[in-house]
Amino acid sequence: QGPNSHSVLHPSRKASLYKRLGAIIHESALGGNGAVPSSNILPLSPSTVLVGCSDGSLKSYNWYQKAVLKSIKGLGKGDWIVRLLSANRFTVNENDSNKRRILTVTKKGICYLIELEIGNDSLDIKPPLARFIGGLAEVSSDSSMDHCTITYDPHRDLIFWLSLAPKTKQISMLVWNLDTLQSDLVQQVGSKNLFKPDPTLTVQIPAFCVEYTGGEAQTTIFPITHGAFSEDTVLLGSVSKTTGDLHLIGARFHPTNASSQVTGTAVVSADVAVIIQQVGSLDFSPSLRIGALRQSPLSAGSAHSLVLVTNIGIVILELPVTSAKLPGARHVHFGAGLGSLGKSILYVQESSVIYGSLDVLVGNPTGKMEAKNTVTVYESPAAHNLPLELQKRPFRSAPIFMPSPSGLFLCLLWPMEFRYEIFHTASLLSKVGTRSGGGSTQRSPVVSSGDSVADFGWIGDDDVYAVLRAADFVEQATAFMVTAASMEGASGDDGTGPPIRVSVKSVANLAQSVTKSATSATFAVTKSATSATIAVTKSATTATLGLASGTLAATKSATKAAVNTTKKGMKRSMGLFGKKKKKADDGGLSSMEAESQAETEDMSEAAESNDPTTMAPIPIDMDPSNQNRLGGNTKKRSIELRKLDLVESNASALGASIAAATSSSMGDVVLRGGNRNIPTAVFGGPVLCVGSRTEEDPEGSAHFYAKKTGSNGDRADEYVSTGPTLPYPDLVVWDDDGSLCAVTVSDRVAIYALDGSAFVLLGTVRITNPSNNIGPIYSAKFLHGVLYCCSSGSVHCVFIGESADVTRLECYELASIDAEVAGPIAPLQQYKSFMPPKLPLPLVLPSVLGYQSGSLVVSTVRGLHAVPLTHPLLRIGALLSAGQTDAAQKWFDAVPTYECEALSGFVERRGFPDLAMTVKGVSIERVVDLSMRHGYIGQLEEIVETYGVRGLRSIDAGRGLSPSLFGEHGGSVVVSVAAYLLAHGRVELARRMATECLRSGEEGRREALLVASLLLSVDEHDASRLVARAVEDVGMDWPVAQFIRHYVLSERT
């Protein structure tokens, strides 16, 4: 009855929401009459799913009740529904209505947009809102055809549908922007005429990117997401099924245009077969046939992996245009008082730096944050340092902002253009006040700029910055980018392009000068983000490439690289934690290095203990230290320090062309180890941190550089190496005070405290979740004592607290792109658990900016988003970390009384035991425990005087359960409290407790004896009287009392 006569519900990656997976839905379960399941299943709730049928009907099925809840017909008689897609997964639900949109695709190539209304006990399927046509049908007679021709981008609310012109054989990608069509869709509700919108954008695939065999296209094309490109750029992946030619195609996307048609521009081109041959160290080129191209979360260690389904197994390619750890963000968030519109942002759209205000009237905003009253404050010039071929591209790469610690300046770093621009913030924002056309003379906002720069970092608070000069890297990366551009004009008359000649060796040459910031948006410059990486399944490896255990064993070096990669997960070539070997000519380790050696080894073991990703890509050996062997010259690299000095004279006196500051060079830093330590990354902060890798030390290392003691000059040679040798970090971030430092490697964070000249490890924590490996940390930021860490698709917070001289780190996941969702997002969720819920948001390479109106403002590749901190635990933790104890206490009432013990423990771990005792409903036992562990004698006295011995004994749940020094009956809270009070000089209160114990029966007499024995060392006469009363003969079977009466007291008498 068709290829999908039975639909099986496949297990969810997060099985916590969908635990019952045993349902099989067939024709009879759906009511018969030809309603054969013909599509995938789309879960709507833990008990309800949506399924399309071969008669054109759409049905919701409850597998608990084994019944159809709702059904609609009329989507095409005899036209099977072959695919269902969720169309508004990340839409924020701002009212009580729970609406959800889906896409249905039929066998004849028609797509419908349908809206659902989901209630607690009801579900209503509305008639279609719109009909989309023009794309290829989902079902084909060709079994080798890629059947996924339509996809949905939830980040930007876009529909992608592959189209093939019957006559010209021109392949295009049709794009519909549902966001811009929203107003038209609302008007169609209840209308009898079905809305049939034209594509918002049509991207024509260049002829040289398409392979034809016998007049038929043999190319699979799939839309992909990548952080190196801005929100208004569409990126497509194209791969030939037989030749393995891979192309990344970009096109400019204009959200405001009603309809446009453009020809895609090749960004990168490579040969997959050559890559496999090089990685496997094979002496032959494998016979490769590719069946499908996807971008999948199979490789959690990388945000930009392409998955190729081939005849030799699953091949995972790391995209050549990489976006690694972020030293900055796509947006700048200003607090109130800057500009003229209160809280606001800066962002870049193509070449324009745009200022916009944010809505401050909305409390606890959730989801996408739109800028209002925008004004262009600067136009960045073209990258004239790049070849003309790259300047002609219709789109630019996305830059990142890096504000200076002083707040006076702002760096705009263009990683793929290898240049930077520094603005004077006040001059840049001065145009906001004159937007109405007022015409005061303004200073030029640009105070410094430079090119041939591979990395950038702000140093200290004196507006000093460091740049990594790497002309060799820039030259190779530029040549690699030009390769794809040059193919545009090399297509033959038959519409086919020339064979791709980009060898893996040239790609490897490119990656030798990798740096942290350059990899945030550049080409193939890290070991984990190389031009291509490969992971093949075990069966395909054994059958085709002769690999063992998922590693390439063709050569010793290839085997070593593969084993290290599989063992340690996806890591940058310079991002490995490992023990630095001691060399004879190093002069030995310093005392601080020796003290930190154990910390380094612990971090190394922690990094190596990460569970390997099943399909982790095995990278080509693109080590920066191999530059000499491959012909490069890394000795040309240097770390230059520059300083900005403000110009005191006003602009009216000097003219509008005079900048507000001047930049002067301080010279090059003399690196530790001289030529042996080749700089590959710069990390800013209160002190300069430089990472380097060498062929002798492939694990890499990093060193801090600070001014010599007593030095007051402005020369780079005054900066010397200081502190311990660190294993090579991915990120090094500092708090605003310069007292806390976070060093990240893969998904683990080590937090250090700078105490004078001591660099002390406070603790380590792994940023992960129980159900999925999140991969490496891409950005991190301290906000008022809280460390926020972001992976490629999630945001986490790390609370730092000191309790009883022990630093405690706790990590909570706030939002994730992988969070399960059964409907639109509710911005204010009711309290359900003491653990904060994980909010589903379209977070693509997020970076935390700051707080606003009770939410966390997050910059992403897909715009600005707000993560609400409405959960009491998050709000209390953030307020306590900022030292706002009074405001934090007001949130205690938001936690139910039955969670008071958990709240008290959380507050104590944050370093506020005094507040932990004030939590409403906290038990006496908890107060006694906190008082004794933290030395609150007055609070303990109050407990004893208020509740007495009877109250203390009522909370003594541990009596007799564990051995004790006080006797065979186990520990006693009464005795422990009395001993503690006596040790702190509260003799009278301890004596009163002993006297009260004498009136509490046989058990009390035993406790009175123990307390009285302790009082003997303070007041022997009074204590002897209490002992005598405790052991009086009252008919108790108590051998100890008899012994004391007959042998101790009698002798004293």
Side-chain angles (χ1 to χ4, degrees):
Q1 299 184 42
N4 295 308
S5 58
H6 291 75
S7 292
V8 180
L9 180 63
H10 298 284
S12 171
R13 289 198 322 165
K14 312 291 189 305
S16 59
L17 184 59
Y18 309 109
K19 296 182 179 180
R20 295 187 58 177
L21 304 174
I24 299 180
I25 305 175
H26 45 79
E27 181 181 0
S28 60
L30 297 177
N33 299 322
V36 179
S38 56
S39 74
N40 60 303
I41 285 179
L42 191 65
L44 298 178
S45 72
S47 60
T48 307
V49 297
L50 206 64
V51 60
C53 301
S54 59
D55 62 350
S57 62
L58 182 65
K59 300 178 182 291
S60 62
Y61 180 77
N62 187 303
W63 71 54
Y64 283 177
Q65 303 175 4
K66 293 183 170 41
V68 175
L69 301 181
K70 186 70 176 181
S71 175
I72 64 168
K73 294 184 178 181
L75 300 184
K77 185 176 181 181
D79 193 5
W80 299 8
I81 298 178
V82 296
R83 186 170 176 81
L84 301 178
L85 298 95
S86 179
N88 64 336
R89 180 185 178 196
F90 297 113
T91 300
V92 176
N93 182 18
E94 297 181 350
N95 47 45
D96 295 333
S97 63
N98 192 1
K99 295 182 179 181
R100 183 174 179 182
R101 289 177 178 176
I102 64 166
L103 295 170
T104 66
V105 185
T106 69
K107 179 181 178 181
K108 296 181 180 179
I110 301 176
C111 177
Y112 295 94
L113 179 65
I114 299 176
E115 192 170 73
L116 311 176
E117 285 191 2
I118 305 174
N120 294 330
D121 301 318
S122 62
L123 185 145
D124 190 13
I125 305 177
K126 299 294 184 179
L129 292 176
R131 174 184 177 183
F132 308 96
I133 59 175
L136 292 173
E138 287 285 320
V139 178
S140 172
S141 58
D142 184 4
S143 60
S144 65
M145 179 181 176
D146 183 355
H147 293 289
C148 185
T149 62
I150 184 169
T151 55
Y152 173 76
D153 181 1
H155 313 140
R156 293 178 287 184
D157 209 13
L158 302 179
I159 300 176
F160 290 89
W161 203 351
L162 197 62
S163 173
L164 176 63
K167 297 182 179 180
T168 62
K169 299 296 183 181
Q170 173 66 50
I171 295 182
S172 303
M173 181 66 72
L174 308 181
V175 184
W176 284 269
N177 188 346
L178 296 185
D179 187 32
T180 58
L181 295 174
Q182 175 63 23
S183 58
D184 295 326
L185 293 174
V186 173
Q187 296 177 2
Q188 293 300 315
V189 177
S191 175
K192 296 182 179 179
N193 298 322
L194 190 58
F195 183 40
K196 302 176 182 178
D198 295 327
T200 309
L201 174 68
T202 301
V203 181
Q204 294 183 353
I205 308 302
F208 70 89
C209 297
V210 181
E211 174 201 0
Y212 290 92
T213 301
E216 296 292 333
Q218 295 294 322
T219 301
T220 177
I221 301 173
F222 194 81
I224 59 179
T225 296
H226 202 285
F229 300 93
S230 59
E231 187 176 8
D232 55 3
T233 301
V234 170
L235 196 63
L236 307 174
S238 170
V239 63
S240 169
K241 296 184 178 181
T242 58
T243 64
D245 293 345
L246 174 67
H247 305 273
L248 296 186
I249 305 167
R252 178 75 187 280
F253 176 65
H254 300 274
T256 58
N257 288 6
S259 182
S260 60
Q261 182 172 335
V262 298
T263 300
T265 302
V267 178
V268 171
S269 299
D271 191 333
V272 178
V274 174
I275 293 172
I276 296 176
Q277 179 182 4
Q278 177 71 19
V279 175
S281 298
L282 306 177
D283 56 1
F284 64 93
S285 180
S287 178
L288 187 67
R289 183 168 181 82
I290 299 174
L293 168 68
R294 296 289 183 273
Q295 189 173 34
S296 167
L298 285 175
S299 178
S302 173
H304 306 118
S305 293
L306 290 182
V307 180
L308 299 179
V309 181
T310 74
N311 59 324
I312 65 172
I314 301 297
V315 177
I316 298 181
L317 299 178
E318 189 71 14
L319 293 188
V321 186
T322 64
S323 182
K325 286 66 182 178
L326 295 179
R330 298 294 177 86
H331 302 76
V332 177
H333 181 252
F334 295 124
L338 285 178
S340 61
L341 301 174
K343 295 184 179 180
S344 54
I345 60 170
L346 282 178
Y347 63 97
V348 177
Q349 188 172 14
E350 280 299 303
S351 300
S352 302
V353 179
I354 301 175
Y355 173 94
S357 62
L358 298 176
D359 191 350
V360 297
L361 300 179
V362 177
N364 305 305
T366 303
K368 191 72 175 288
M369 301 180 71
E370 299 291 348
K372 302 179 180 180
N373 304 317
T374 60
V375 56
T376 300
V377 295
Y378 177 73
E379 288 288 344
S380 180
H384 298 295
N385 58 305
L386 296 181
L388 189 60
E389 298 94 322
L390 301 181
Q391 297 184 36
K392 290 182 178 180
R393 286 179 175 172
F395 53 87
R396 298 180 71 172
S397 62
I400 55 176
F401 288 101
M402 301 176 66
S404 68
S406 67
L408 297 176
F409 301 98
L410 182 64
C411 174
L412 183 62
L413 182 65
W414 297 82
M416 286 185 65
E417 297 178 1
F418 318 109
R419 67 187 189 95
Y420 69 92
E421 298 172 276
I422 298 180
F423 307 120
H424 181 239
T425 306
S427 300
L428 184 68
L429 298 179
S430 63
K431 189 174 182 179
V432 178
T434 59
R435 68 174 68 200
S436 59
S440 63
T441 304
Q442 301 174 4
R443 280 179 168 175
S444 170
V446 179
V447 298
S448 180
S449 62
D451 53 29
S452 298
V453 170
D455 206 355
F456 183 98
W458 290 102
I459 310 301
D461 297 327
D462 298 327
D463 300 319
V464 175
Y465 60 94
V467 293
L468 173 59
R469 301 290 184 183
D472 58 321
F473 161 68
V474 174
E475 180 182 354
Q476 294 167 12
T478 302
F480 183 75
M481 290 188 289
V482 170
T483 302
S486 62
M487 296 187 67
E488 299 262 0
S491 301
D493 296 335
D494 57 353
T496 61
I500 296 178
R501 302 301 183 187
V502 180
S503 66
V504 176
K505 182 177 180 180
S506 64
V507 176
N509 286 335
L510 162 68
Q512 303 315 308
S513 50
V514 61
T515 67
K516 169 181 64 62
S517 66
T519 53
S520 65
T522 54
F523 288 86
V525 290
T526 64
K527 187 175 182 180
S528 67
T530 60
S531 65
T533 55
I534 174 172
V536 288
T537 57
K538 184 176 180 180
S539 60
T541 299
T542 304
T544 308
L545 298 180
L547 308 179
S549 301
T551 60
L552 299 175
T555 63
K556 181 178 180 180
S557 60
T559 302
K560 181 178 180 180
V563 170
N564 288 338
T565 302
T566 305
K567 184 178 181 180
K568 299 182 180 180
M570 285 300 299
K571 296 186 287 289
R572 288 168 56 190
S573 61
M574 55 194 176
L576 307 178
F577 260 113
K579 178 179 178 182
K580 181 175 178 62
K581 298 181 180 179
K582 179 178 178 181
K583 300 180 177 60
D585 56 350
D586 280 344
L589 295 175
S590 65
S591 59
M592 294 187 67
E593 292 173 336
E595 292 174 358
S596 65
Q597 186 68 48
E599 299 171 6
T600 303
E601 294 179 7
D602 292 342
M603 290 294 293
S604 176
E605 294 175 0
E608 294 180 0
S609 64
N610 292 343
D611 295 334
T613 306
T614 305
M615 300 296 292
I618 302 176
I620 303 172
D621 188 10
M622 290 189 169
D623 196 316
S625 62
N626 294 337
Q627 185 80 6
N628 295 329
R629 178 173 58 83
L630 294 174
N633 184 9
T634 57
K635 294 184 179 180
K636 296 180 181 179
R637 302 188 190 181
S638 63
I639 304 295
E640 181 188 5
L641 296 186
R642 301 185 67 87
K643 184 177 182 180
L644 295 172
D645 296 304
L646 289 173
V647 177
E648 298 298 334
S649 301
N650 57 40
S652 59
L654 297 178
S657 62
I658 303 300
T662 60
S663 175
S664 59
S665 176
M666 299 170 58
D668 295 342
V669 178
V670 179
L671 299 180
R672 179 176 178 177
N675 293 333
R676 291 185 296 106
N677 281 344
I678 301 173
T680 54
V682 171
F683 304 95
V687 294
L688 171 66
C689 181
V690 178
S692 62
R693 297 188 60 180
T694 62
E695 190 170 359
E696 294 78 12
D697 184 14
E699 293 290 319
S701 61
H703 299 91
F704 289 110
Y705 295 84
K707 278 190 175 183
K708 299 177 183 178
T709 304
S711 175
N712 296 320
D714 291 331
R715 300 194 314 271
D717 56 11
E718 296 177 349
Y719 285 76
V720 295
S721 176
T722 182
T725 298
L726 296 178
Y728 207 114
D730 291 337
L731 290 172
V732 178
V733 296
W734 296 77
D735 66 346
D736 293 337
D737 299 331
S739 58
L740 292 177
C741 176
V743 179
T744 72
V745 171
S746 186
D747 60 353
R748 188 172 292 275
V749 181
I751 299 180
Y752 295 85
L754 184 61
D755 185 9
S757 61
F759 199 58
V760 183
L761 176 65
L762 298 181
T764 64
V765 63
R766 187 180 181 188
I767 309 300
T768 185
N769 61 52
S771 56
N772 190 25
N773 177 23
I774 66 168
I777 300 170
Y778 276 73
S779 66
K781 185 180 181 65
F782 282 100
L783 284 180
H784 303 295
V786 180
L787 177 63
Y788 291 94
C789 299
C790 302
S791 70
S792 60
S794 60
V795 177
H796 307 252
C797 70
V798 179
F799 291 120
I800 308 168
E802 185 174 339
S803 176
D805 297 329
V806 177
T807 302
R808 302 177 185 272
L809 307 179
E810 294 186 33
C811 179
Y812 298 91
E813 188 171 11
L814 307 182
S816 174
I817 198 173
D818 291 328
E820 289 288 359
V821 59
I825 304 167
L828 293 176
Q829 299 182 359
Q830 295 182 351
Y831 183 92
K832 296 181 180 179
S833 170
F834 187 70
M835 294 296 293
K838 182 171 60 175
L839 194 67
L841 286 176
L843 304 176
V844 182
L845 294 184
S847 182
V848 171
L849 299 180
Y851 297 122
Q852 177 172 320
S853 304
S855 293
L856 193 68
V857 181
V858 180
S859 171
T860 73
V861 175
R862 297 294 179 249
L864 200 68
H865 288 79
V867 179
L869 302 177
T870 54
H871 193 276
L873 182 141
L874 300 178
R875 190 62 65 90
I876 292 171
L879 291 172
L880 290 178
S881 298
Q884 301 182 21
T885 55
D886 293 339
Q889 281 185 286
K890 296 178 181 179
W891 278 83
F892 287 179
D893 294 336
V895 179
T897 306
Y898 61 84
E899 298 278 17
C900 62
E901 294 293 317
L903 175 60
S904 178
F906 175 77
V907 174
E908 182 206 2
R909 294 192 299 273
R910 302 286 66 76
F912 295 88
D914 54 336
L915 293 182
M917 292 187 292
T918 65
V919 175
K920 184 178 180 181
V922 69
S923 65
I924 301 176
E925 182 180 12
R926 178 68 179 168
V927 176
V928 171
D929 176 66
L930 291 172
S931 300
M932 295 178 64
R933 287 194 294 109
H934 297 280
Y936 294 105
I937 308 302
Q939 188 71 29
L940 190 60
E941 287 182 300
E942 183 179 350
I943 290 292
V944 173
E945 293 174 352
T946 304
Y947 299 99
V949 171
R950 185 184 299 274
L952 292 176
R953 188 176 290 124
S954 66
I955 66 171
D956 196 356
R959 292 179 59 82
L961 299 180
S962 60
S964 172
L965 296 176
F966 296 114
E968 60 183 355
H969 297 285
S972 167
V973 169
V974 174
V975 176
S976 299
V977 170
Y980 186 85
L981 291 172
L982 185 60
H984 287 80
R986 306 306 194 268
V987 179
E988 179 60 26
L989 187 57
R991 189 194 64 76
R992 286 166 49 191
M993 292 181 65
T995 303
E996 187 176 351
C997 287
L998 292 174
R999 300 192 299 267
S1000 303
E1002 297 181 0
E1003 197 68 26
R1005 287 180 175 272
R1006 293 186 173 94
E1007 294 173 336
L1009 176 60
L1010 295 176
V1011 176
S1013 64
L1014 297 176
L1015 286 168
L1016 287 171
S1017 60
V1018 179
D1019 188 348
E1020 183 176 357
H1021 177 75
D1022 190 54
S1024 298
R1025 182 179 57 83
L1026 291 175
V1027 171
R1029 292 181 58 188
V1031 298
E1032 288 180 351
D1033 188 5
V1034 291
M1036 292 176 56
D1037 184 14
W1038 189 14
V1040 173
Q1042 298 177 9
F1043 178 84
I1044 294 176
R1045 286 199 308 269
H1046 296 158
Y1047 298 100
V1048 178
L1049 295 181
S1050 60
E1051 293 181 1
R1052 287 175 178 263
T1053 305

